């Protein structure tokens, strides 16, 4: 069963038991514990543990390659180093990109994907946004410089995109995204409260993200020690 990701706490809370019932219908030899663990896994990528406040905070961001052309290509396509040898200029799609990693919000990522899909739809009127949300050729298409989408990484963003992207339209909804940022911690606390009631503190989002954060700090300290 593919659990839906909700962008507001009220939606999540109102559908909690409906989705739990569907979970039991699909998985007969299961329990609410399994359902809660699946929810924790679904919402964890949009959160992080903050040491200063000892609590979870929203972090709906993604690392993506910001691709551009080497400086010698930026001069212009007419300046082709191979043209003197009878070679035709390369198109921008065939040029070799260089890139740097950039961290963007999930709202920016969603807008980038929506732009890609809408460019494709402009020549294919029989298609809509949701039918192309995971189309390999559309999602990974490159038209010059810009963000280069990794299709494998894209899979992890699908729950959010399915909830957030409109079926029709050119721009994403900022107010809906803002509501998600405000709601995600509340959703996590609701899940964790349920897990604690079942005596499963170690399975809470809080416990796992805190453990991950401590591990990263230890690894950084070890790395700095080796470098010194």
């Amino acid at each position: 069963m593919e659990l839906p990701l909700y962008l507001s706490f009220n939606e999540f809370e109102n559908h909690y038991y409906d989705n739990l019932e569907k979970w039991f219908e699909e998985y007969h030899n299961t329990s609410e514990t399994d359902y809660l663990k699946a929810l924790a896994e679904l919402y964890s990528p949009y959160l992080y543990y903050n040491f200063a406040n000892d609590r979870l905070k929203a972090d709906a961001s993604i690392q993506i390659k910001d691709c551009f052309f080497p400086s010698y290509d930026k001069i212009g396509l007419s300046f082709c180093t191979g043209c003197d040898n009878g070679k035709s200029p390369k198109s921008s799609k065939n040029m070799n990109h260089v890139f740097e990693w950039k961290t963007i919000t999930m709202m920016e990522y969603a807008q980038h994907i929506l732009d890609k899909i809408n460019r494709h739809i402009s020549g294919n009127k029989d298609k809509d946004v949701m039918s192309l949300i995971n189309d390999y050729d559309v999602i990974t298409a490159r038209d010059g410089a810009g963000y280069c989408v990794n299709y494998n990484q894209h899979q992890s963003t699908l729950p959010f995109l399915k909830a957030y992207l409109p079926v029709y339209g050119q721009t994403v909804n900022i107010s809906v995204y803002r509501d998600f940022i405000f709601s995600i911690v509340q959703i996590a606390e609701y899940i964790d409260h349920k897990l604690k009631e079942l005596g499963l503190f170690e399975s809470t989002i809080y416990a796992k993200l805190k453990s991950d954060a401590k591990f990263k700090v230890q690894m950084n300290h070890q790395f700095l020690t080796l470098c010194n």
Side-chain angles (χ1 to χ4, degrees), residues 56-75:
L56 298 177
K57 289 198 171 183
D59 182 23
S61 62
I62 186 172
Q63 269 201 330
I64 192 171
K65 290 180 179 179
D66 191 5
C67 298
F68 50 90
F69 300 128
S71 57
Y72 58 80
D73 285 327
K74 290 181 181 178
I75 298 173

Side-chain angles (χ1 to χ4, degrees), residues 114-146:
L114 183 61
D115 290 342
K116 280 177 173 283
I117 293 174
N118 279 327
R119 280 196 295 270
H120 182 83
I121 289 176
S122 65
N124 297 269
K125 299 298 184 181
D126 59 324
K127 299 290 186 179
D128 61 55
V129 170
M130 290 306 163
S131 68
L132 297 170
I133 199 171
N134 199 31
D135 186 291
Y136 179 86
D137 293 330
V138 174
I139 298 305
T140 61
R142 290 194 299 186
D143 186 13

Side-chain angles (χ1 to χ4, degrees), residues 85-152:
N85 299 321
K87 297 178 181 178
S88 60
K90 296 182 292 183
S91 71
S92 62
K93 290 184 180 180
N94 293 327
M95 284 183 174
N96 291 323
H97 291 80
V98 293
F99 70 89
E100 61 184 8
W101 287 106
K102 187 174 182 179
T103 299
I104 62 175
T105 66
M106 287 300 297
M107 183 178 73
E108 292 175 284
Y109 183 79
Q111 183 65 61
H112 179 63
I113 297 301
L114 183 61
D115 290 342
K116 280 177 173 283
I117 293 174
N118 279 327
R119 280 196 295 270
H120 182 83
I121 289 176
S122 65
N124 297 269
K125 299 298 184 181
D126 59 324
K127 299 290 186 179
D128 61 55
V129 170
M130 290 306 163
S131 68
L132 297 170
I133 199 171
N134 199 31
D135 186 291
Y136 179 86
D137 293 330
V138 174
I139 298 305
T140 61
R142 290 194 299 186
D143 186 13
Y147 296 141
C148 296
V149 175
N150 180 295
Y151 188 70
N152 290 332

Side-chain angles (χ1 to χ4, degrees), residues 130-214:
M130 290 306 163
S131 68
L132 297 170
I133 199 171
N134 199 31
D135 186 291
Y136 179 86
D137 293 330
V138 174
I139 298 305
T140 61
R142 290 194 299 186
D143 186 13
Y147 296 141
C148 296
V149 175
N150 180 295
Y151 188 70
N152 290 332
Q153 182 188 38
H154 179 72
Q155 304 309 300
S156 66
T157 70
L158 290 177
F160 175 82
L161 294 177
K162 289 177 180 178
Y164 185 53
L165 283 184
V167 177
Y168 302 102
Q170 298 295 321
T171 59
V172 295
N173 191 316
I174 297 176
S175 62
V176 170
Y177 183 78
R178 189 182 297 118
D179 194 21
F180 174 64
I181 294 300
F182 288 141
S183 296
I184 185 64
V185 173
Q186 204 174 355
I187 291 171
E189 289 174 346
Y190 184 97
I191 295 169
D192 283 357
H193 176 72
K194 292 281 188 181
L195 285 166
K196 288 175 186 176
E197 285 184 332
L198 297 170
L200 299 168
F201 177 79
E202 294 304 318
S203 296
T204 62
I205 299 173
Y206 169 89
K208 288 190 173 182
L209 292 184
K210 182 176 182 178
S211 177
D212 290 345
K214 285 184 175 180

Side-chain angles (χ1 to χ4, degrees), residues 17-29:
Y17 289 104
D18 291 337
N19 287 325
L20 177 59
E21 185 176 344
K22 293 176 184 176
W23 179 273
F24 286 140
E25 288 175 359
E26 183 158 344
Y27 306 111
H28 302 293
N29 297 318

Side-chain angles (χ1 to χ4, degrees), residues 20-43:
L20 177 59
E21 185 176 344
K22 293 176 184 176
W23 179 273
F24 286 140
E25 288 175 359
E26 183 158 344
Y27 306 111
H28 302 293
N29 297 318
T30 189
S31 66
E32 187 175 2
T33 297
D34 300 313
Y35 173 66
L36 285 165
K37 287 181 178 179
L39 287 176
E41 187 175 346
L42 178 64
Y43 287 95

